[in-house]
Amino acid sequence: MSEPRKLYVKSFGCQMNVYDAQRMTDTLAREGYVETDRPDDADLVILNTCHIREKAAEKVYSELGRLRKQQEEQGRKTMVAVAGCVAQAEGSEIIKRARVVDLVVGPQSYHRLPELIASAEQRRGVVETEFPVEEKFDHLPPPTPAAIAKRGPTAFVTVQEGCDKFCTFCVVPYTRGAEFSRPVDKVLDEVKRLADAGVREVTLIGQNVNAYHGLDAHGRPAGLAELVRRVAAIGGIARVRYTTSHPRDMDEGLIAAHREIPAMMPYLHLPVQSGSNRILAAMNRKHDRELYFELVAKVRAARPDIAFSSDFIVGFPGETDEDFADTMDLVEKVGFAGAFSFKYSPRPGTPAAGEEDQLPEAVKNERLYALQALLDRQKAAFDEACRGRRFDILLEKPGRLPGQLIGRSPYLQSVVVVAPPAALGTLATVEVREVSTKSLSAEILGGEFFHGDILPRERAYAGSADSVRTGAASSAPTQEVEA
Ligand code: SAH
Ligand code: SF4
Ligand code: F3S
């Protein structure tokens, strides 16, 4: 038998690209490809790209330069495919600009990878960036139980793709196309398969996930709240998260779900972008700062132990010192447990890129620095307020030292504990002992693997509301600092 062909996939950008990379890997596994973590060892390299900011989009070309050099040194041609949002946005330009590329494939055509690779083997320069009418999700094969187990006890599931919001700074409506929601049963089948193979936590993802309106078995549209409720009811699923939400689509049903569904984690990523009403209007965000405050208050009333994270853009065209002060003020008032913050990056084809009052880089840098300093302080305060708290963690992977495991808190913080490898994939109740910038360390009090039950939710989270409300902070969402 011939050697299996080796596949190396590198993803940039958001969680949907992580999910897509897994689907591409699952598709190609059926064609006999096995994964490798080394590009110089691969027969096929896929770069799964992001177009959101200029820096992100340019990364693909430095990566391609590296691949070209590697191929020259090895004297061997590896098949190179560019997938993801740069593929969609730039199409055949990529083939022209980088000779090392054999195939360009947009996000809606991943189910066609095997035939596209076969054509690219015959002829370099295959480009597929149509938005096909047929539904790719129906044609993407599911992962095998072994592949699921290898990926660990948490999983992303795309439930919604595309965006109809057209914020004036954003390329996503052009790279991912119009909003589409997967039918309820398709999502439930996928989650059941994951749960059967050991997954305990699912994050439902979409560019505008709370606009979800997939059809149920009776052909009626279901909202995200109903979907979460049904996902949470699947045996084995202990935790549900969803990301990313738009403030305009945070409806009463979804807010109530935070109160009613214990499996919903008390951590909500709700991008606001700016605290200035003038800038929010110019961004076409379709809401003002007052609505954001109102939502935060309502969600906190429904789930007092909830913490928030957000996305911010500084230096949007025309942003004045007063506008920026409004953003700082919003951050002070809400108190975030984590955040991503970015300098505005003009993107080709978006309305804001054509505005005349673009801000100098120095002003953007200064504002980003000030905002990140504030968000860092809030994150540190939130983490610090977790000292002595009790909550459940999901044990996800081995720690750095023998005998250690790393779990995730409800707030996505990494928590280091002493526990045997056999406890991986189970929930444990812990008490937090030490707090550092990267992680918490904690002692196990009980849990599924350990003697004693996990704490009921009321007790586990008791007394925590204040620290969440004032301190904010935490979690994996780290800020991107653009040098
Ligand atoms: N609703 C989307 C947002 C995707 S983009 C989602 O599913 O996550 C993620 C974040 O990138 C945005 O919230 C915004 O803060 C930032 N962003 C988008 N376009 C940008 C641009 N042109 N310049 C700087 N940051 C940008
Ligand atoms: Fe982009 Fe706005 Fe859509 Fe989010 S809601 S993907 S920021 S256009
Ligand atoms: Fe980037 Fe596309 Fe995601 S532009 S952020 S990879 S949707």
Side-chain angles (χ1 to χ4, degrees):
M1 232 184 82
S2 61
E3 286 269 302
R5 285 176 295 178
K6 291 190 184 154
L7 164 69
Y8 172 79
V9 191
K10 182 162 185 175
S11 279
F12 305 84
C14 64
Q15 290 151 333
M16 193 167 288
N17 267 4
V18 175
Y19 175 84
D20 288 346
Q22 293 178 349
R23 290 288 77 75
M24 288 192 262
T25 305
D26 296 334
T27 303
L28 292 170
R30 293 203 163 178
E31 307 291 312
Y33 282 91
V34 296
E35 260 186 292
T36 171
D37 52 11
R38 283 178 38 199
D40 57 348
D41 191 30
D43 302 296
L44 168 62
V45 172
I46 300 180
L47 300 180
N48 192 19
T49 59
C50 174
H51 196 59
I52 202 80
R53 285 167 292 275
E54 192 183 350
K55 280 241 170 69
E58 282 302 316
K59 266 184 205 157
V60 58
Y61 291 102
S62 45
E63 204 67 38
L64 289 170
R66 258 196 293 280
L67 283 171
R68 197 196 57 217
K69 227 171 128 214
Q70 172 203 304
Q71 294 193 356
E72 281 165 9
E73 279 164 18
Q74 288 185 320
R76 177 173 90 97
K77 176 76 186 91
T78 309
M79 164 96 51
V80 175
V82 174
C85 291
V86 179
Q88 189 61 44
E90 296 186 7
S92 55
E93 280 303 303
I94 301 173
I95 301 275
K96 286 193 204 129
R97 194 169 152 188
R99 286 211 50 83
V100 70
V101 177
D102 302 285
L103 166 64
V104 173
V105 53
Q108 305 312 325
S109 306
Y110 294 156
H111 55 297
R112 296 191 51 215
L113 263 176
E115 48 171 307
L116 294 170
I117 290 167
S119 326
E121 273 164 358
Q122 303 303 317
R123 172 182 71 84
R124 175 192 170 261
V126 175
V127 178
E128 174 59 67
T129 53
E130 288 305 300
F131 286 116
V133 190
E134 70 187 303
E135 181 31 46
K136 83 170 157 177
F137 288 105
D138 289 342
H139 299 275
L140 285 167
T144 61
I148 298 169
K150 197 170 149 224
R151 290 168 189 162
T154 64
F156 295 129
V157 175
T158 294
V159 303
Q160 181 279 331
E161 187 166 349
C163 183
D164 298 339
K165 292 275 190 303
F166 290 93
C167 300
T168 55
F169 52 80
C170 184
V171 293
V172 171
Y174 313 98
T175 64
R176 293 277 170 171
E179 230 179 57
F180 167 80
S181 295
R182 293 177 70 192
V184 172
D185 284 345
K186 294 271 167 64
V187 173
L188 297 179
D189 286 348
E190 188 166 331
V191 177
K192 276 182 202 137
R193 179 183 277 268
L194 293 168
D196 286 346
V199 166
R200 307 299 310 280
E201 173 180 312
V202 287
T203 304
L204 307 179
I205 57 176
Q207 269 85 37
N208 219 175
V209 73
N210 56 348
Y212 177 84
H213 57 272
L215 297 182
D216 67 12
H218 310 288
R220 284 189 291 258
L224 185 64
E226 185 180 338
L227 186 69
V228 169
R229 194 166 279 119
R230 297 192 58 186
V231 165
I234 291 172
I237 297 301
R239 296 174 142 194
V240 185
R241 304 178 189 274
Y242 62 92
T243 199
T244 294
S245 296
H246 192 286
R248 269 289 294 268
D249 296 315
M250 244 5 255
D251 63 26
E252 297 293 335
L254 188 55
I255 294 172
H258 278 275
R259 172 172 32 240
E260 292 157 6
I261 306 173
M264 249 171 134
M265 286 296 98
Y267 190 64
L268 180 59
H269 184 62
L270 193 60
V272 64
Q273 316 299 355
S274 169
S276 154
N277 283 341
R278 220 176 57 79
I279 296 298
L280 286 169
M283 287 175 164
N284 190 30
R285 288 293 289 177
K286 309 180 202 314
H287 69 85
D288 54 17
R289 59 190 260 130
E290 287 72 25
L291 179 89
Y292 195 81
F293 289 135
E294 201 180 300
L295 288 173
V296 167
K298 279 187 184 166
V299 177
R300 277 183 174 145
R303 185 81 201 244
D305 60 349
I306 205 156
F308 288 87
S309 70
S310 197
D311 290 343
F312 298 90
I313 295 176
V314 300
F316 187 81
E319 186 188 68
T320 63
D321 285 340
E322 291 73 47
D323 293 321
F324 178 64
D326 283 348
T327 297
M328 295 292 275
D329 177 69
L330 180 140
V331 173
E332 293 276 8
K333 289 201 164 103
V334 173
F336 290 96
F340 297 92
S341 41
F342 312 101
K343 286 185 283 188
Y344 169 70
S345 168
R347 304 305 291 130
T350 59
E355 296 292 328
E356 274 172 14
D357 39 4
Q358 303 288 332
L359 269 69
E361 202 57 21
V363 173
K364 292 186 193 176
N365 280 333
E366 204 177 293
R367 290 181 186 166
L368 184 68
Y369 188 80
L371 176 61
Q372 290 193 340
L374 174 57
L375 290 165
D376 283 347
R377 279 201 301 281
Q378 293 194 336
K379 178 187 181 312
F382 181 84
D383 288 345
E384 190 49 45
C386 287
R387 196 188 290 274
R389 271 183 76 178
R390 290 176 179 193
F391 43 53
D392 300 336
I393 64 171
L394 175 59
L395 296 166
E396 283 182 16
K397 57 181 184 191
R400 207 162 41 84
L401 302 175
Q404 287 182 341
L405 295 184
I406 296 179
R408 288 297 189 116
S409 79
Y411 307 107
L412 287 176
Q413 295 146 308
S414 290
V415 184
V416 183
V417 292
V418 174
L424 281 174
T426 70
L427 286 167
T429 301
V430 300
E431 186 168 303
V432 178
R433 294 274 186 259
E434 297 298 331
V435 177
S436 71
T437 44
K438 288 224 166 66
S439 63
L440 311 177
S441 54
E443 190 184 329
I444 291 181
L445 304 177
E448 293 172 332
F449 181 81
F450 307 91
H451 296 298
D453 284 336
I454 56 170
L455 289 173
R457 186 163 77 84
E458 294 70 22
R459 270 172 58 214
Y461 297 110
S464 57
D466 276 350
S467 55
V468 177
R469 190 168 306 239
T470 53
S474 102
S475 93
T478 45
Q479 299 162 6
E480 179 181 280
V481 185
E482 290 180 358

